[in-house]
Amino acid sequence: MKPLFALSATVVLVSGMATSALAEPVTYEIDPTHTFPRFSYSHFGLSTQTSQFNQTHGTVTLDKEGGTGQVDIVIDMTSVETGYTTFNEHIQGEDFFDTASHPEARFQSSQINFQDGRPVSIDGHLTMKGITQPVTLEVSHFAAMVHPMLERPAIGAHAHTVVKRSDFNADKFVPYVGDEITISISMEAVVPE
């Protein structure tokens, strides 16, 4: 069961402000070793299942002075990790992710919404299985600082949204397996060298 994304979403999260010293747009590259979109759904009403994607890339561009930004996150749908190899393969099938035809999902922002100088939500579009739907990522955490190890400007965020897998032609077993999918993404991004 699917929606992922990200890019949560995911995606997401990234919007808002860079370091306090920045006065023009700055582009950050997603750190794939610290960015993992997750998705969860009801399984027969018995439990909430949570899985993640292990490969994500993209960019976040922020303009502190202008209070604007742009997020573009791509999720490798073949990198899904459910904790069970057979199920990883099962949900990549045609009834769900259909990774043979659509190996990637993508979140692209259309607007970042700020409150008190910090991003609180990101409006955009999630494309999965060749279907694009509007989504809004709610940002619950955002931080900007100089990365203590890399010594370069870095940002981090956590955001989430809820989508229906039926909106992406991935609704097999609904309503027994939940149609609503919560997508969340915790991400880090760094100014490239």
Side-chain angles (χ1 to χ4, degrees), residues 104-179:
E104 295 181 337
R106 187 174 194 172
F107 174 81
Q108 294 177 290
S109 66
S110 56
Q111 179 175 327
I112 297 171
N113 304 298
F114 294 84
Q115 183 176 325
D116 299 325
R118 303 183 68 77
V120 294
S121 64
I122 306 169
D123 299 325
H125 292 87
L126 173 64
T127 301
M128 187 174 70
K129 289 187 75 173
I131 300 169
T132 300
Q133 296 286 350
V135 299
T136 297
L137 291 165
E138 301 295 333
V139 180
S140 59
H141 167 78
F142 179 82
M145 61 185 285
V146 174
H147 195 288
M149 296 179 70
L150 301 176
E151 298 181 349
R152 301 196 307 271
I155 56 173
H158 182 83
H160 70 277
T161 191
V162 176
V163 300
K164 289 187 175 182
R165 54 192 184 96
S166 55
D167 289 342
F168 295 92
N169 192 26
D171 56 348
K172 188 164 186 174
F173 302 130
V174 168
Y176 307 107
V177 176
D179 192 16

Side-chain angles (χ1 to χ4, degrees), residues 7 9-12 30 56-57 71-75 105-107 185:
L7 58 195
T10 195
V11 206
V12 291
I30 296 295
T56 304
H57 67 274
V71 178
D72 187 359
I73 295 178
V74 177
I75 299 168
R106 187 174 194 172
F107 174 81
I185 181 168

